[in-house]
Amino acid sequence: SMLWTKLHAITILPAFVVFIALGFFLAKLLRGKSDKVRYIPFQIITVALLVLEVLKQYSSIRTGHYDLYFLPFHFCSLFLFVLPLHSFYKGKGKRIIDTITFACCSSMTFFMLVMPSIIYSDASIATMSEQFISFHTVVFHNLVCLYFILAVAMRMFEFKPKSDIKVILIFMCSFQTICAILANSMKVNYHNLLRCNLAPVETIRQSLVDSLGFGGQLIYIVILSAVTVAFICMTYYLTRLILVGIDKLKTPRASV
């Protein structure tokens, strides 16, 4: 399976150009405005995501055959909980929510740029206009990327690597554990924790299970979880580096 298809290229790349342009525009427009105003774009995206999710659940229930795969136990389902908290909640623990939001959004956005076909297939793009579920998948993931790009452009996060990485590790390890238990007990492939969408990796998982039984599955879960958490920590630092780079470009060097 290819990581990028032609359909991904002609839809994702232009979308990202638009997102970045929007980011620049909103950052300029809302610079110096109150937090209340600055959070409006994020609240709009959050509401759109929640409405999309309600419609998805409704359309799945309406068919009379509810697909357990639609329960919110995927990595991408985290946004349904994290983004409303990030955009609307202002109380205690806001910093922790910011960190988790940032980590989840950054990893999702970088993943979209590295291997989008793992997130949604080119078939989803092709059937967007006929099937709501395809439309939901494509729009949902792109809105999360837009959220992240706006947040980066508008500097909605501050970095404190030491405490942030601790928060990310605790949160993600808990999430992976819950998802792994649900995926394997319900036999539903949440977050690839039952089997892997990447064919070469699935072959390895299969041979592990064949030779070691559930022990093999456990090894697969632990390795996949470790890779996921490492990827998220990496995108956290990568974004931080990008922002430092942008700042360096922005500040004119003193003329000698």
Side-chain angles (χ1 to χ4, degrees), residues 66-77 175-176 178-195 197 220-221 224:
Y66 184 77
D67 188 344
L68 290 174
Y69 190 73
F70 292 158
L71 286 171
F73 303 127
H74 299 272
F75 178 73
C76 298
S77 318
F175 171 75
Q176 294 285 128
I178 295 165
C179 274
I181 293 167
L182 289 168
N184 287 276
S185 57
M186 290 163 71
K187 295 286 172 259
V188 184
N189 194 27
Y190 299 122
H191 192 36
N192 274 338
L193 286 163
L194 184 63
R195 53 186 170 272
N197 289 338
Y220 166 73
I221 291 168
L224 180 76

Side-chain angles (χ1 to χ4, degrees), residues 52-252:
L52 275 172
E53 187 61 24
V54 168
L55 291 172
K56 177 181 92 168
Q57 298 295 343
Y58 171 71
S59 69
S60 182
I61 291 166
R62 212 186 48 182
T63 57
H65 300 285
Y66 184 77
D67 188 344
L68 290 174
Y69 190 73
F70 292 158
L71 286 171
F73 303 127
H74 299 272
F75 178 73
C76 298
S77 318
L78 280 173
F79 300 111
L80 298 170
F81 309 106
V82 178
L83 298 189
L85 280 171
H86 176 258
S87 54
F88 288 99
Y89 174 75
K90 300 284 170 277
K92 217 176 146 189
K94 168 105 180 92
R95 172 96 196 114
I96 290 177
I97 290 161
D98 282 2
T99 303
I100 293 169
T101 305
F102 180 80
C104 294
C105 289
S106 68
S107 55
M108 163 80 211
T109 306
F110 282 104
F111 207 80
M112 271 283 266
L113 290 172
V114 180
M115 33 185 155
S117 61
I118 302 291
I119 298 178
Y120 55 78
S121 63
D122 49 353
S124 293
I125 305 171
T127 58
M128 258 184 87
S129 52
E130 300 110 62
Q131 294 186 356
F132 178 73
I133 196 69
S134 300
F135 173 81
H136 173 279
T137 301
V138 175
V139 174
F140 184 94
H141 292 92
N142 278 282
L143 281 177
V144 172
C145 295
L146 172 62
Y147 195 102
F148 175 68
I149 290 168
L150 293 186
V152 168
M154 291 167 62
R155 301 300 166 99
M156 302 303 279
F157 301 105
E158 44 172 341
F159 293 95
K160 292 186 186 150
K162 261 201 179 121
S163 58
D164 288 352
I165 293 294
K166 243 185 244 158
V167 168
I168 294 168
L169 287 176
I170 293 168
F171 176 76
M172 280 315 300
C173 292
S174 317
F175 171 75
Q176 294 285 128
T177 308
I178 295 165
C179 274
I181 293 167
L182 289 168
N184 287 276
S185 57
M186 290 163 71
K187 295 286 172 259
V188 184
N189 194 27
Y190 299 122
H191 192 36
N192 274 338
L193 286 163
L194 184 63
R195 53 186 170 272
C196 190
N197 289 338
L198 255 184
V201 182
E202 177 55 21
T203 314
I204 299 168
R205 185 196 72 85
Q206 207 53 68
S207 61
L208 273 172
V209 173
D210 290 344
S211 55
L212 300 166
F214 189 68
Q217 179 71 356
L218 215 53
I219 293 170
Y220 166 73
I221 291 168
V222 170
I223 293 173
L224 180 76
S225 300
V227 169
T228 305
V229 175
F231 183 78
I232 292 172
C233 292
M234 184 192 80
T235 58
Y236 169 90
Y237 280 113
L238 199 57
T239 311
R240 188 161 166 256
L241 270 176
I242 291 168
L243 286 176
V244 169
I246 292 171
D247 285 345
K248 280 211 174 108
L249 288 174
K250 270 191 187 162
T251 46

